[in-house]
């Protein structure tokens, strides 16, 4: 069933293919997500970094965007041509987001953001701050956050197929999306996950 998980199958579909109860498949898939989240490496980001906050539906549907009810606030950092880092945050205030940037991004990096006021403090910090005003332009040469926005779109497409995720499990699903983005193609992800799972059986 590891192959089906890496391919992006839902637990329900995997259960039908393999011939087990869907609860068995769901439990196994949850175990894989826990394994992935527990083994994600720690890393710093340097160079050209895109920062952005996004809002995910957990179980309920409703208003979109900042301040939406029933949503999970998520913050992300992406190195252009490299890895992405995500974190669930209680809010999108400067006091919440800036410590994450300070921890994960090396000084003198260029940090690209939109014009959300929480990022104003970056103007006087240890980074070179560039803003793109999305009400006027989607991109202005190198000044854009298309990379992190592309990651959000990929993650939301992947998570929509599950028809709602329990809030207590959302962190695991988010880190799965991060792992998929950073880990390479399906063959590389499968090899990596098989090795990690094998170690848990030893």
């Amino acid at each position: 069933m590891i192959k089906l998980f890496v391919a992006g199958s839902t637990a329900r579909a995997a259960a039908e293919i393999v011939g087990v109860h869907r609860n068995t498949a769901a439990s196994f898939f949850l175990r894989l997500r826990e394994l992935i989240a527990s083994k994600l490496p720690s890393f710093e980001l340097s160079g050209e970094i895109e920062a952005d906050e996004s809002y995910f539906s957990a179980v309920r549907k409703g208003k979109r965007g900042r301040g939406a009810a029933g949503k999970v606030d998520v913050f992300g950092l992406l190195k252009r041509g490299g890895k992405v880092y995500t974190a669930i945050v209680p809010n999108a205030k400067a006091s919440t987001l800036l410590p994450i940037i300070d921890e994960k991004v090396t000084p003198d990096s260029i940090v690209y953001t939109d014009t959300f006021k929480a990022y104003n403090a970056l103007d006087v910090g240890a980074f070179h701050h560039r803003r793109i005003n999305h009400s006027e332009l989607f991109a202005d040469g190198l000044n854009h956050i298309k990379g992190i926005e592309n990651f959000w779109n990929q993650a939301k497409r992947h998570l929509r197929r599950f028809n709602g995720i329990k809030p207590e499990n959302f962190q695991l699903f988010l880190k799965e999306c991060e792992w998929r983005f950073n880990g390479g193609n399906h063959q590389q992800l499968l090899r990596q996950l098989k090795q990690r799972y094998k170690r848990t059986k030893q």
Side-chain angles (χ1 to χ4, degrees):
M1 281 208 297
I2 294 179
K3 287 184 177 180
L4 293 172
F5 176 86
V6 171
S9 173
T10 64
R12 181 187 293 271
E16 292 178 2
I17 292 170
V18 177
V20 299
H21 193 278
R22 67 188 184 200
N23 288 346
T24 300
S27 178
F28 183 70
F29 277 18
L30 183 63
R31 183 178 177 186
L32 292 179
R33 290 186 175 100
E34 291 171 341
L35 179 61
I36 288 168
S38 69
K39 298 298 181 180
L40 285 177
S42 177
F43 55 86
E44 282 190 316
L45 302 168
S46 62
E48 292 186 303
I49 311 301
E50 298 177 18
D52 191 37
E53 75 289 348
S54 191
Y55 305 86
F56 285 71
S57 296
V59 176
R60 295 177 293 173
K61 296 182 179 180
K63 176 186 173 185
R64 295 182 179 181
R66 296 185 179 108
K71 303 290 182 177
V72 179
D73 292 14
V74 178
F75 180 61
L77 295 164
L78 179 139
K79 175 180 171 61
R80 289 184 178 172
K83 295 182 178 181
V84 69
Y85 171 80
T86 63
I88 294 175
V89 292
N91 54 61
K93 296 179 180 179
S95 58
T96 298
L97 304 185
L98 294 184
I100 299 174
I101 297 174
D102 286 337
E103 178 186 356
K104 301 301 296 185
V105 180
T106 60
D108 287 329
S109 294
I110 302 173
V111 180
Y112 297 90
T113 72
D114 59 19
T115 55
F116 186 39
K117 64 181 180 179
Y119 302 121
N120 289 349
L122 289 173
D123 293 337
V124 293
F127 311 104
H128 305 284
H129 186 206
R130 305 285 185 270
R131 285 190 181 91
I132 184 69
N133 188 340
H134 279 172
S135 65
E136 298 178 359
L137 289 170
F138 183 65
D140 182 13
L142 293 176
N143 189 11
H144 63 80
I145 53 171
K146 293 189 289 187
I148 187 67
E149 290 180 332
N150 178 58
F151 170 76
W152 295 140
N153 289 334
Q154 288 183 36
K156 288 176 181 180
R157 279 198 304 270
H158 178 70
L159 298 182
R160 269 197 296 269
R161 70 188 65 185
F162 300 107
N163 295 319
I165 299 167
K166 293 180 179 179
E168 62 267 27
N169 292 334
F170 186 81
Q171 169 79 0
L172 300 177
F173 281 82
L174 179 65
K175 287 302 177 180
E176 176 200 343
C177 292
E178 182 181 314
W179 170 76
R180 288 180 182 276
F181 186 91
N182 293 341
N185 59 37
H186 284 85
Q187 190 174 45
Q188 292 169 318
L189 292 174
L190 178 61
R191 187 184 311 118
Q192 181 188 118
L193 189 54
K194 278 185 172 180
Q195 290 173 347
R196 290 180 179 177
Y197 182 73
K198 185 177 181 179
R199 293 191 192 106
T200 68
K201 310 300 287 186
Q202 293 175 346

